[in-house]
Amino acid sequence: MRELLAYLHDPELVARFQRRCGLFLVEPAHHGRTSEPTGTGSEKGPAQLRAKAKQQDQNSNVTHEANGYATNDCSRPRYEVRNRLLHVLFLLSAGMGHEIFYITCLPNIQWNLDPFLCRRLVNMWTVVMYIGQALKDVLKLPRPSSPPVVKLETRVDAEYGLPSTHAMAATAISFTLLFSAPSRIQFQFEVGLLIAATLSSLVCLSRLYTGMHSVLDVITGALLSAAILGFTFPYWETMDRFQLTSTISPAVCFSLPLFLGYAYPELDHYSTTRGDTITILGVGAGCSVGYWVEERLGQIPAVLPAPLPALTADALARGVARFFVGVLVLVATRQVVKTLSLHVLYSWYKVPKSDTAARRRKEIEVPYKFATYSSVGFVNAMVVNRVFKLLPYL
């Protein structure tokens, strides 16, 4: 078993997958050498590449001159793309796993399809992502090293690798939607299953292609997400009733995520995982409170399950208009609350406004991000649909 885990975590396995998909690491010219793509006639053996990788931080994309990657931009090793179609497909698939994608696209389900489905998806997304992000910083297993892997992303490279939260989120979102939709919308389950499996698989494979996770990271993330869905599935209806009808729901659904944000595992260096996790917790908390208030104001019952709306040109135009108006409202909310919360916290802790690095401090990052994104979540659940009613076409 130990040998199997080591094999699945080996960066050379990721590098081989990248080369099969047409992505090659290129040795830059250095001290008179000419550039050649690895994986061709000049390909180094796995042992040589792993030995060379030991000279760099296993959890960072920052390289040193001894690695032969100190080029003029002082940043990343170069790469060569030989299959442009797969390159674009996997980059788009990787984007479907980012937090910004879910924060902008999950509300679109509420605005144009069914608020119930959006609420269920936000709930499971929040649970799955918190568990995955926290496990990363508890286990502290590194991402694949470069070389031999080509790394196409840099923002999250300082984060640890296992489990892949992209794989967790994609699995959770795809299959939560699949299992929740039959009671709300008429559709062929087999088709939905195929779509869910395809989308989650593409996101998982994209994490290998971008060089951000090992095979072990991705498999663990997908299996862990499936286990969480399987464990919580019998309680989804109970969670719904508590969230919408309990008098203590707003207090619990707001204070618990805030507590979890402050209780997030500490690291000896700054990582974007805590900030991203607070963002997700804030969205979940704000949406929960907003849905509770919305339930108190009353909703018009619908005949369920309803047929999927016809995709006419008028419906498509209205959906696109709703999307852009809704995103505009959320972005404006984010900007206003972020500015105000940072102003208050900087004044409280007597931090100069020019000190942008202070935003990474726990006592500032946690409250400002939680306040910002809980406001975004609340506005999504409560305000945006009311804005639509004020606009004639929407």
Side-chain angles (χ1 to χ4, degrees):
M1 177 60 73
R2 183 175 300 177
E3 289 79 6
L4 176 61
L5 295 179
Y7 171 74
L8 294 176
H9 200 251
D10 188 352
E12 183 59 32
L13 191 60
V14 178
R16 287 204 299 269
F17 175 80
Q18 290 180 319
R19 293 193 291 267
R20 288 288 182 91
C21 295
L23 182 63
F24 290 82
L25 186 67
V26 175
E27 296 283 2
H30 190 64
H31 297 303
R33 293 181 301 171
T34 56
S35 298
E36 295 184 48
T38 63
T40 60
S42 63
E43 183 177 359
K44 292 178 172 59
Q48 288 176 282
L49 289 171
R50 281 194 289 273
K52 185 177 182 181
K54 290 180 181 177
Q55 299 177 39
Q56 76 180 87
D57 182 356
Q58 293 292 299
N59 195 42
S60 173
N61 206 33
V62 178
T63 57
H64 306 284
E65 192 168 3
N67 294 334
Y69 294 103
T71 56
N72 291 333
D73 61 3
C74 299
S75 58
R76 307 200 310 262
R78 305 176 202 173
Y79 58 88
E80 177 184 342
V81 177
R82 298 183 182 176
N83 190 323
R84 185 62 58 180
L85 179 62
L86 284 179
H87 185 71
V88 173
L89 174 64
F90 283 131
L91 289 186
L92 290 175
S93 300
M96 290 193 298
H98 289 308
E99 287 80 4
I100 191 66
F101 172 82
Y102 293 118
I103 290 173
T104 54
C105 289
L106 283 183
N108 196 41
I109 295 177
Q110 169 159 326
W111 304 333
N112 290 302
L113 190 59
D114 186 0
F116 168 88
L117 293 177
C118 180
R119 177 170 54 80
R120 180 70 63 76
L121 291 173
V122 169
N123 288 345
M124 293 311 303
W125 176 59
T126 304
V127 171
V128 164
M129 288 298 289
Y130 183 83
I131 293 173
Q133 295 281 72
L135 275 177
K136 278 186 182 180
D137 288 345
V138 170
L139 297 175
K140 298 182 179 179
L141 293 178
R143 293 179 183 270
S145 57
S146 177
V149 169
V150 179
K151 292 196 175 184
L152 300 182
E153 297 179 12
T154 57
R155 177 184 175 272
V156 297
D157 199 26
E159 298 180 5
Y160 293 105
L162 189 142
S164 167
T165 46
H166 274 68
M168 293 185 70
T171 302
I173 292 295
S174 299
F175 286 92
T176 298
L177 182 60
L178 176 67
F179 294 137
S180 300
S183 64
R184 311 290 297 183
I185 300 170
Q186 296 175 8
F187 71 101
Q188 191 171 350
F189 184 83
E190 291 77 8
V191 175
L193 178 60
L194 178 62
I195 294 174
T198 300
L199 290 179
S200 56
S201 297
L202 281 174
V203 173
C204 289
L205 291 175
S206 75
R207 303 316 287 161
L208 301 179
Y209 183 83
T210 55
M212 301 313 297
H213 284 287
S214 68
V215 176
L216 181 63
D217 298 343
V218 171
I219 292 175
T220 302
L223 292 179
L224 181 58
S225 186
I228 294 171
L229 292 182
F231 177 78
T232 59
F233 179 75
Y235 307 103
W236 284 1
E237 295 294 337
T238 302
M239 293 164 60
D240 288 341
R241 286 194 298 272
F242 174 83
Q243 186 179 38
L244 295 178
T245 63
S246 174
T247 55
I248 64 172
S249 172
V252 172
C253 293
F254 190 86
S255 60
L256 180 59
L258 182 59
F259 168 78
L260 291 174
Y262 277 103
Y264 190 81
E266 297 279 357
L267 295 176
D268 56 3
H269 65 277
Y270 179 77
S271 171
T272 55
T273 46
R274 183 180 65 196
D276 291 342
T277 305
I278 303 305
T279 296
I280 295 166
L281 290 172
V283 170
C287 284
S288 290
V289 175
Y291 289 131
W292 183 87
V293 175
E294 187 79 356
E295 180 72 12
R296 285 294 185 274
L297 295 177
Q299 295 178 334
I300 300 175
V303 178
L304 299 174
L308 283 171
L311 190 61
T312 63
D314 183 68
L316 182 61
R318 183 179 288 107
V320 171
R322 280 179 163 236
F323 174 76
F324 282 109
V325 170
V327 169
L328 181 63
V329 172
L330 296 187
V331 170
T333 301
R334 173 187 177 275
Q335 193 60 36
V336 169
V337 179
K338 177 181 177 180
T339 302
L340 290 175
S341 58
L342 283 174
H343 177 75
V344 170
L345 289 165
Y346 270 45
S347 299
W348 179 266
Y349 289 105
K350 297 180 173 57
V351 177
K353 293 182 180 179
S354 59
D355 186 6
T356 56
R359 299 181 185 185
R360 296 182 171 187
R361 290 162 48 179
K362 180 178 180 178
E363 63 271 22
I364 293 179
E365 183 178 53
V366 173
Y368 109 73
K369 287 206 165 186
F370 192 85
T372 299
Y373 288 98
S374 60
S375 300
V376 169
F378 183 83
V379 167
N380 166 64
M382 269 291 301
V383 178
V384 175
N385 278 329
R386 284 169 170 75
V387 173
F388 294 156
K389 293 178 182 179
L390 299 177
L391 303 175
Y393 180 70
L394 304 180

